[in-house]
C-alpha cells in the first residue's frame, strides 16, 4: 500500500473485514502488512467526500417556510369603527426541505444506487450528505470533475426516510427515495451553512 493513496472498498463487507481494490471496480489486492502508523497493522479508512450516483433518473426538492402568527392586540383605544375585518400579521419562520429521488435498481450489490436504497433502514445516517446538481460545468481535468464555482447545485445533509420500488416487465426497475434536508450548506451557489 502506498501512503496517501485512495483505495476502493469491494463488497461484501463483514463486521470484521473488508476487501479493497487499487481502482474503482478493479480486482482485490492483498495487503502486505507494512502500514506506517504505530506498527499495529492499522490504516485509516474514510469515505470519499462525494461520489456520483450515476443511476439517478430524476430528483425533486420542495422548500417551504412556516408562517408565524405575530398578530397583536391594538395598542390604543380606537373610536373609529370599520366595516372590514382586521387581518392577522405573519412573518416567515423556519424553512424545511423535502424531496424525492428516483434511481434505477440493478442486480449489482456494489452500485451506489443500491447502497443508497439500503440506507433507509440504517438507524443512524450521521454524515449522510448530497449535492443535487441543477446544472453541472466540468472543471476540464482528466477525469473531469464538477467545477463547483461555475455549477449550480444544492449541498446539504440529508435523512433518507422512505423508499418504494416500482417493478413491471415493460420498464426498468426504479426505486423512489424520500428524504429531508437536515443541514443545508450551499444553495444554488450561495453558501448558507
Amino acid at each position: 500500500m502506498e501512503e496517501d493513496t485512495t483505495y476502493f472498498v469491494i463488497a461484501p463487507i463483514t463486521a470484521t473485514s473488508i476487501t479493497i481494490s487499487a481502482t474503482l471496480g478493479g480486482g482485490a489486492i492483498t495487503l502486505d502488512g507494512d502500514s506506517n502508523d504505530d506498527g499495529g497493522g492499522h490504516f485509516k479508512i474514510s469515505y470519499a467526500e462525494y461520489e456520483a450516483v450515476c443511476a439517478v433518473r430524476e430528483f425533486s426538492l420542495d422548500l417551504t417556510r412556516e408562517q408565524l402568527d405575530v398578530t397583536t392586540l391594538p395598542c390604543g383605544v380606537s373610536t373609529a369603527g370599520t366595516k372590514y375585518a382586521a387581518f392577522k400579521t405573519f412573518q416567515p419562520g423556519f424553512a424545511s426541505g423535502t424531496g424525492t429521488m428516483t434511481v434505477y435498481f440493478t442486480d449489482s450489490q456494489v452500485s451506489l444506487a443500491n447502497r443508497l436504497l439500503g440506507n433507509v433502514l440504517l438507524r443512524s445516517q450521521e454524515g449522510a450528505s448530497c449535492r443535487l446538481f441543477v446544472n453541472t460545468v466540468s472543471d476540464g481535468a482528466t477525469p473531469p470533475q464538477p467545477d463547483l464555482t461555475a455549477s449550480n447545485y444544492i449541498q446539504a445533509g440529508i435523512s433518507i426516510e422512505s423508499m418504494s420500488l416500482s417493478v413491471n416487465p415493460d420498464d426498468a426497475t426504479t426505486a423512489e427515495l424520500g428524504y429531508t434536508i437536515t443541514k443545508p450548506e450551499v444553495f444554488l451557489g450561495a453558501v448558507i451553512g
Side-chain angles (χ1 to χ4, degrees):
M1 290 187 73
E2 298 293 324
E3 189 173 347
D4 297 324
T5 301
T6 299
Y7 294 91
F8 300 88
V9 175
I10 303 172
I13 300 168
T14 71
T16 58
S17 67
I18 62 170
T19 304
I20 62 171
S21 171
T23 60
L24 183 61
I29 62 173
T30 303
L31 303 179
D32 56 13
D34 62 351
S35 59
N36 295 330
D37 62 329
D38 58 4
H42 299 94
F43 53 94
K44 180 180 179 182
I45 297 175
S46 60
Y47 289 106
E49 182 180 357
Y50 287 92
E51 187 68 37
V53 180
C54 296
V56 176
R57 175 178 153 83
E58 63 188 358
F59 74 87
S60 68
L61 176 63
D62 299 314
L63 296 175
T64 59
R65 295 198 51 192
E66 63 182 56
Q67 289 193 30
L68 303 176
D69 185 345
V70 293
T71 307
T72 59
L73 296 173
C75 291
V77 177
S78 174
T79 57
T82 178
K83 65 180 183 177
Y84 298 108
F87 280 82
K88 291 185 174 186
T89 305
F90 295 94
Q91 74 179 31
F94 290 104
S96 64
T98 59
T100 60
M101 184 181 307
T102 302
V103 298
Y104 288 111
F105 184 82
T106 70
D107 60 355
S108 170
Q109 295 301 311
V110 296
S111 84
L112 286 175
N114 288 9
R115 291 171 57 193
L116 190 63
L117 295 173
N119 287 345
V120 72
L121 295 177
L122 292 178
R123 182 175 298 193
S124 171
Q125 296 178 7
E126 185 175 343
S129 184
C130 71
R131 284 186 183 138
L132 303 169
F133 283 90
V134 178
N135 77 311
T136 310
V137 178
S138 172
D139 65 359
T142 304
Q145 297 292 320
D147 180 347
L148 297 182
T149 59
S151 300
N152 279 321
Y153 63 97
I154 298 162
Q155 178 176 320
I158 62 170
S159 174
I160 301 171
E161 298 170 341
S162 66
M163 179 196 80
S164 63
L165 286 171
S166 173
V167 180
N168 71 62
D170 299 323
D171 298 318
T173 302
T174 60
E176 186 173 283
L177 294 169
Y179 61 90
T180 297
I181 288 180
T182 58
K183 299 173 191 167
E185 300 167 15
V186 178
F187 183 77
L188 301 178
V191 177
I192 59 173

